[in-house]
Amino acid sequence: MKSIRKYNSLRCMLHCIMLAVMLIPASALYAQNSSLTIDGPLEYLENDQTALGSQRKNDQNGRPMALFKVLAPQTSGFVFDAGAVGGFLNQESYGREIWVYVPSKCQELSISHEKFGSLIFELPALREGGVYQMKLNIGGGRYVNITTSGSEANGATISVDGEVIGNAPIYNYYMSFSTYKVKAERGRSLGETTFEVKPAGEGENSQMQFVVQMIDQTPHYGNVNITVDNDPNAEIFYQGQSVGTGSWTTMLKEGTHEVVTRKADCDEGVTVFTVKPQTDNNVTAHAPAPHKGNLILEILPKSATVISDGRDTLDHFQQQALTVGTHQLDVMRKDYKTISRHINILHNETSTYTIELPAENYLTDTLAFYFGLGYTASKLSGLTGYVGGVWNRFDLQLSYTLGMSKSNNVYMYNHDADTGHELGSGNNYKMNAVGFSLGYQIRLTPRLGITPQIGYLSQVLSASVINGTGKYFDGAKASNLTIGTKILAVPTKHLYLFVAPQYAIPMSKDDTFKKVADAADFSAGGISVSAGVIFNFGK
């Protein structure tokens, strides 16, 4: 037993030496200037069982230690030492409290801080597992209690000089000596006051008590109906909290307020509005603006029109800002083929696209079938019908001309030995023709073309009786080689206007054809000009 006592005495001496070494610098620096004090007595919290429950901690002998819940203006920088009984003590921060477990046999507690100084506090007899409250004062301030009264007082949010410090009632809040503006808010009740924290007078309790009187502010509130402009899916935020989607109905105090609308892939919309009391305030909030990117277009020809998403005309001579995502551009110009292109716009990036329109080919030159009607002007004019086809620009055409104009009258006489010359019949003639031609189509512009042609033309006379009964030389024929060209103008797709000058070179003709032609003052072949319309069906 003596050896054990000697060991404990030696251990106690070593702890004292360690404590002295730790405190010497602090004492030398802060002994005369230490501002650290204990505010009020050490308070035993009789109903607090924290140190006996799941938070229990034991000393080296397995006995539950006492728990000091230390209130301090700050929770960092303090060092607690229990001397030979417990040595340096571990500590944890819980909100505004520092939790320090102290062996129940401890008689003195050393507290130090490199800035505020140090002190040694003599402890009363501690209970095993007991919980105590200690308030440290660093000087220059006091602990205060802030409570509320009046309408909706309990649980009111308390702010000091604009900073929220908690909900009422608030106890043991350390405040430096100064004058403060205190506000209490809950629901539609508000209390505001100014109070001064100053040193305690002689005989005055070290704890200061302040009460904030709250008053119902309902007469100063107005009904507010907020609707997001053209976006029922936008989320509405007020004072940092989500309050609705698309719309929000509430009551707000008179004055200026702000709501923010948000949506994925959008820049938030901010709306500031003023509330008038005791009335309905209808507010249209700005919708979130979709994220945008930039678009640069190079369009050929430059006079083309660019339509975005079927509705918006883009000025492609300047950089455009478009919403993020995929857009359809339709680029069009008269006499050019329309091009549709999908483009992708990225957030805060510039996309560049070049689009060149191919010229529109109104003249079908790949594969087509056509028919038409025209008038052929010549010595004996007529109405001409056409059928034909185009394949890889080669144009094969069949025509039939129904004679319309009449030749000069031709009189035929019979010779009789007794009576001499006797009129046999008087006739005039029309000329029908069947023609074949092969040409090659050349495009001059998207709407103008020319087709050089070579072909064959068969001309047939049709006689009409003007005197007598005989149709002399009806059906006389002439065959011709033709050289010509067909000039095409296209006012609209599938409809052509044409002019076709042609020169027919006679190759053969009946004797009767020559006789009639000489008598009626016309000839086989020759120059003719046809004009009319063609209906084209093809690619």
Side-chain angles (χ1 to χ4, degrees):
M1 292 295 290
K2 289 181 180 181
S3 61
I4 293 175
R5 281 196 293 272
K6 286 180 180 179
Y7 172 77
N8 288 334
S9 298
L10 181 59
R11 184 173 179 274
C12 182
M13 185 180 300
L14 289 173
H15 275 92
C16 290
I17 292 172
M18 291 174 63
L19 179 61
V21 171
M22 181 194 74
L23 294 178
I24 284 174
S27 299
L29 191 57
Y30 301 112
Q32 297 179 353
N33 258 332
S34 177
S35 59
L36 189 61
T37 61
I38 303 296
D39 198 340
L42 185 67
E43 182 182 355
Y44 173 60
L45 304 180
E46 182 177 359
N47 297 321
D48 193 331
Q49 301 296 308
T50 304
L52 293 175
S54 60
Q55 302 279 9
R56 168 176 170 165
K57 292 187 178 181
N58 298 329
D59 61 18
Q60 59 185 4
N61 296 316
R63 307 300 300 170
M65 290 193 288
L67 171 60
F68 281 22
K69 293 184 176 180
V70 182
L71 290 172
Q74 64 183 56
T75 57
S76 62
F78 290 97
V79 177
F80 298 86
D81 184 86
V85 176
F88 294 108
L89 302 173
N90 293 328
Q91 60 197 60
E92 298 175 359
S93 297
Y94 291 88
R96 292 190 295 121
E97 295 180 338
I98 306 171
W99 285 16
V100 182
Y101 286 89
V102 180
S104 59
K105 299 299 183 181
C106 185
Q107 297 179 351
E108 288 184 345
L109 182 64
S110 172
I111 308 171
S112 63
H113 192 283
E114 63 178 8
K115 181 178 179 181
F116 306 124
S118 61
L119 61 84
I120 297 177
F121 183 67
E122 293 185 4
L123 298 174
L126 300 177
R127 301 190 184 191
E128 292 183 354
V131 180
Y132 299 83
Q133 185 179 76
M134 173 185 286
K135 289 180 281 188
L136 293 180
N137 194 326
I138 61 175
R142 297 174 67 178
Y143 283 92
V144 301
N145 296 334
I146 302 175
T147 57
T148 52
S149 65
S151 174
E152 298 186 274
N154 288 336
T157 300
I158 304 297
S159 58
V160 176
D161 288 344
E163 181 181 353
V164 175
I165 64 171
N167 295 327
I170 293 177
Y171 298 111
N172 299 318
Y173 188 77
Y174 189 83
M175 304 182 74
S176 300
F177 298 138
S178 184
T179 300
Y180 299 90
K181 292 183 178 180
V182 180
K183 180 187 288 187
E185 292 180 282
R186 187 169 187 265
R188 292 193 293 274
S189 292
L190 174 69
E192 294 181 290
T193 187
T194 300
F195 64 71
E196 181 182 6
V197 178
K198 56 186 178 180
E202 186 176 350
E204 185 180 353
N205 190 323
S206 62
Q207 191 103 345
M208 297 189 74
Q209 309 288 333
F210 296 103
V211 179
V212 181
Q213 176 66 38
M214 299 183 67
I215 299 174
D216 186 5
Q217 301 290 312
T218 298
H220 298 281
Y221 276 70
N223 296 320
V224 178
N225 304 305
I226 296 178
T227 304
V228 181
D229 187 20
N230 292 323
D231 196 340
N233 298 316
E235 193 170 6
I236 303 172
F237 287 80
Y238 178 72
Q239 295 183 341
Q241 301 295 319
S242 176
V243 294
T245 300
S247 62
W248 177 44
T249 299
T250 187
M251 291 187 70
L252 295 176
K253 193 176 180 182
E254 61 184 337
T256 301
H257 298 263
E258 178 182 287
V259 291
V260 176
T261 55
R262 294 173 184 163
K263 193 175 180 181
D265 297 325
C266 295
D267 295 325
E268 63 183 26
V270 178
T271 304
V272 178
F273 58 96
T274 301
V275 174
K276 296 181 180 179
Q278 298 186 10
T279 188
D280 290 331
N281 298 268
N282 297 314
V283 179
T284 300
H286 298 304
H291 288 160
K292 290 190 174 183
N294 295 318
L295 172 65
I296 296 177
L297 288 174
E298 180 66 29
I299 303 297
L300 296 174
K302 294 185 179 298
S303 56
T305 299
V306 182
I307 305 296
S308 173
D309 299 323
R311 60 180 183 275
D312 300 322
T313 301
L314 298 185
D315 181 1
H316 60 274
F317 294 98
Q318 298 182 3
Q319 179 173 290
Q320 298 291 309
L322 298 181
T323 57
V324 168
T326 301
H327 297 266
Q328 178 175 313
L329 298 185
D330 296 312
V331 185
M332 58 193 70
R333 186 190 183 280
K334 184 179 179 181
D335 294 337
Y336 288 83
K337 292 182 179 180
T338 297
I339 286 183
S340 295
R341 177 77 59 82
H342 286 89
I343 63 170
N344 190 34
I345 300 298
L346 302 177
H347 186 211
N348 288 337
E349 293 190 15
T350 299
S351 301
T352 302
Y353 290 90
T354 299
I355 301 176
E356 182 175 357
L357 298 182
E360 179 67 87
N361 183 14
Y362 290 94
L363 289 164
T364 304
D365 54 17
T366 304
L367 180 64
F369 166 78
Y370 64 85
F371 69 89
L373 184 65
Y375 185 80
T376 300
S378 65
K379 284 271 186 168
L380 293 178
S381 302
L383 192 64
T384 305
Y386 301 88
V387 293
V390 178
W391 178 71
N392 288 336
R393 297 196 180 186
F394 287 97
D395 185 339
L396 181 62
Q397 177 179 285
L398 170 66
S399 65
Y400 177 77
T401 301
L402 177 65
M404 302 295 292
S405 62
K406 299 177 181 179
S407 69
N408 293 334
N409 295 334
V410 177
Y411 297 95
M412 304 298 175
Y413 292 89
N414 296 321
H415 179 71
D416 187 272
D418 296 327
T419 61
H421 293 289
E422 182 179 339
L423 180 65
S425 180
N427 300 104
N428 58 27
Y429 297 88
K430 296 179 180 179
M431 187 183 293
N432 300 325
V434 176
F436 298 90
S437 65
L438 178 65
Y440 186 79
Q441 189 179 99
I442 301 171
R443 183 174 59 193
L444 302 179
T445 72
R447 293 180 181 269
L448 184 65
I450 184 170
T451 305
Q453 295 174 311
I454 186 169
Y456 170 81
L457 180 68
S458 176
Q459 296 174 309
V460 180
L461 297 180
S462 174
S464 297
V465 177
I466 56 174
N467 290 106
T469 59
K471 288 185 178 182
Y472 291 95
F473 311 131
D474 183 56
K477 297 180 180 180
S479 297
N480 304 270
L481 175 67
T482 59
I483 300 173
T485 186
K486 181 167 58 176
I487 302 171
L488 299 170
V490 189
T492 185
K493 213 167 178 69
H494 304 302
L495 176 64
Y496 297 177
L497 303 179
F498 75 91
V499 174
Q502 179 178 271
Y503 180 66
I505 304 172
M507 294 188 299
S508 65
K509 50 189 172 183
D510 297 345
D511 289 340
T512 53
F513 189 99
K514 184 177 184 307
K515 291 179 181 180
V516 172
D518 290 342
D521 193 23
F522 67 88
S523 64
I527 296 174
S528 64
V529 178
S530 301
V533 294
I534 290 176
F535 299 93
N536 183 288
F537 301 92
K539 295 182 179 180

